[in-house]
Amino acid sequence: MEQNVLLSLSHISKRFKTEQALKDINMTLHQGEILGFLGPSGAGKTTTIKIITGQLRQTSGEARLLGTDSSNIDESIYEKIGVVSDNSGIYKKMTVWQNLYVFAGIWQVSRERVEKVLTQVGLGEHRNKPAGKLSKGQTQRLVLARAVLHKPRVLFLDEPTSGLDPSTAVAIHRMLLELKEEGMAIFLTTHNMEEAAKLCDKVALLHDGEIVEFGSPQEICLKHNRNKKYSVLLEDNRELELAQNPENVRKIAGWMERDEIRRIHSCEPTLETVFLEVTGKDLNV
């Protein structure tokens, strides 16, 4: 496996009886990288995670996680990965601290590490609260804390901020970027294209089990920016959208010379717009 490649998928397909869930999936995930696997519910995102982590056997192709064939994973691999999904259960009658301390014992993690992660997820002041009395956002942060307690090399996140309020989502985003800076590789599934554009180094747009686009969010958006336009807000509060052509270039240059522009932006499409363009479907969830 190429150096620093912690996960690779080669020609992965999965069929359930008559349903083709995945078709020829190819991608790699490197150390210190966030990879977004994006698409609506039912596109095949969770199925892919289950194949990678050995919970489900692919119909064809090869998945390798930390150098090991995913169809032949042993329990030791779980000491090196973390998984956060909707069904990541917690012990509701135990306190926040107790939930983490139980797993700290399993992973042989120090008390200091538990304290650091508690602070990192913003649950320090709730340490003595029973987990069953946490809000949805707090519960999700506890699940994330448990998943990263043992400093996994690869973290799998299945819709980690789905249904959360904006401030909680921002806190989780901040933590994920910190983990990335520490060298952790993160495999993120989401239908939230705005979230992916903020966080991900690379994204794969998944539609009906196929990857229809792959690359950095910026590369993908610029690739589909075929009708170049600019949004201009002038000092007199006129807001204009101008196509890129010689006449409008001269207009913009003149406004700039006279210091009449308050704001100017390019109008490349968003990831969600690209998804709609390449699939003909909106991201209904």
Side-chain angles (χ1 to χ4, degrees), residues 138-181:
Q138 291 166 344
T139 300
Q140 190 72 335
R141 280 187 272 170
L142 176 57
V143 171
L144 180 57
R146 193 184 66 190
V148 302
L149 196 59
H150 58 301
K151 297 184 179 180
R153 296 184 67 194
V154 184
L155 177 64
F156 294 92
L157 300 175
D158 195 5
E159 304 281 358
T161 59
S162 178
L164 300 186
D165 64 88
S167 62
T168 301
V170 167
I172 289 178
H173 291 170
R174 189 180 302 118
M175 183 178 179
L176 296 181
L177 291 172
E178 288 174 5
L179 293 170
K180 170 192 163 180
E181 288 302 312

Side-chain angles (χ1 to χ4, degrees), residues 5-24:
V5 173
L6 304 187
L7 165 66
S8 67
L9 301 181
S10 179
H11 304 294
I12 292 291
S13 71
K14 178 62 181 176
R15 177 178 287 277
F16 295 102
K17 295 183 179 178
T18 58
E19 179 194 357
Q20 187 75 35
L22 296 173
K23 309 168 191 172
D24 199 35

Side-chain angles (χ1 to χ4, degrees), residues 90-95 99 129-135 139 142:
I90 59 171
Y91 298 112
K92 294 185 178 181
K93 292 183 178 180
M94 289 185 177
T95 65
N99 264 273
K129 182 184 288 188
K133 294 188 179 296
L134 297 175
S135 69
T139 300
L142 176 57

Side-chain angles (χ1 to χ4, degrees), residues 1-155:
M1 185 178 287
E2 181 188 334
Q3 190 175 14
N4 293 330
V5 173
L6 304 187
L7 165 66
S8 67
L9 301 181
S10 179
H11 304 294
I12 292 291
S13 71
K14 178 62 181 176
R15 177 178 287 277
F16 295 102
K17 295 183 179 178
T18 58
E19 179 194 357
Q20 187 75 35
L22 296 173
K23 309 168 191 172
D24 199 35
I25 301 295
N26 299 277
M27 67 174 69
T28 56
L29 173 63
H30 297 76
Q31 180 179 345
E33 182 177 68
I34 301 179
L35 172 64
F37 206 47
L38 317 181
S41 297
K45 304 188 300 295
T46 303
T47 297
T48 303
I49 285 185
K50 287 183 176 180
I51 289 172
I52 294 168
T53 55
Q55 301 172 63
L56 195 63
R57 184 69 64 90
Q58 65 267 30
T59 304
S60 63
E62 182 182 56
R64 298 192 72 81
L65 176 59
L66 299 174
T68 301
D69 189 328
S70 291
S71 61
N72 193 32
I73 280 179
D74 62 38
E75 290 185 1
S76 66
I77 202 80
Y78 295 106
E79 298 174 7
K80 303 172 186 175
I81 67 172
V83 181
V84 175
S85 64
D86 284 342
N87 58 4
S88 297
I90 59 171
Y91 298 112
K92 294 185 178 181
K93 292 183 178 180
M94 289 185 177
T95 65
V96 168
W97 166 262
Q98 289 168 338
N99 264 273
L100 293 183
Y101 199 66
V102 165
F103 281 88
I106 294 171
W107 300 123
Q108 298 182 325
V109 170
S110 70
R111 187 184 183 99
E112 289 73 22
R113 174 65 181 166
V114 177
E115 292 288 356
K116 179 179 179 181
V117 171
L118 259 180
T119 302
Q120 202 170 20
V121 299
L123 289 178
E125 64 187 81
H126 301 288
R127 60 192 299 117
N128 296 318
K129 182 184 288 188
K133 294 188 179 296
L134 297 175
S135 69
K136 181 176 180 179
Q138 291 166 344
T139 300
Q140 190 72 335
R141 280 187 272 170
L142 176 57
V143 171
L144 180 57
R146 193 184 66 190
V148 302
L149 196 59
H150 58 301
K151 297 184 179 180
R153 296 184 67 194
V154 184
L155 177 64

Side-chain angles (χ1 to χ4, degrees), residues 158-214:
D158 195 5
E159 304 281 358
T161 59
S162 178
L164 300 186
D165 64 88
S167 62
T168 301
V170 167
I172 289 178
H173 291 170
R174 189 180 302 118
M175 183 178 179
L176 296 181
L177 291 172
E178 288 174 5
L179 293 170
K180 170 192 163 180
E181 288 302 312
E182 292 171 6
M184 193 177 295
I186 300 174
F187 187 96
L188 168 72
T189 76
T190 181
H191 61 262
N192 186 332
M193 298 290 179
E194 185 178 351
E195 176 175 75
K198 288 179 182 177
L199 294 177
C200 297
D201 300 288
K202 296 284 178 65
V203 297
L205 302 188
L206 190 69
H207 174 60
D208 288 343
E210 285 188 277
I211 294 176
V212 292
E213 274 292 356
F214 183 82

Side-chain angles (χ1 to χ4, degrees), residues 228-232 240-244 248 251-252 255:
K228 294 183 180 179
K229 295 180 181 179
Y230 299 91
S231 173
V232 181
L240 308 170
E241 189 173 280
L242 304 172
Q244 181 172 304
N248 287 331
K251 283 183 182 178
I252 292 171
W255 290 326

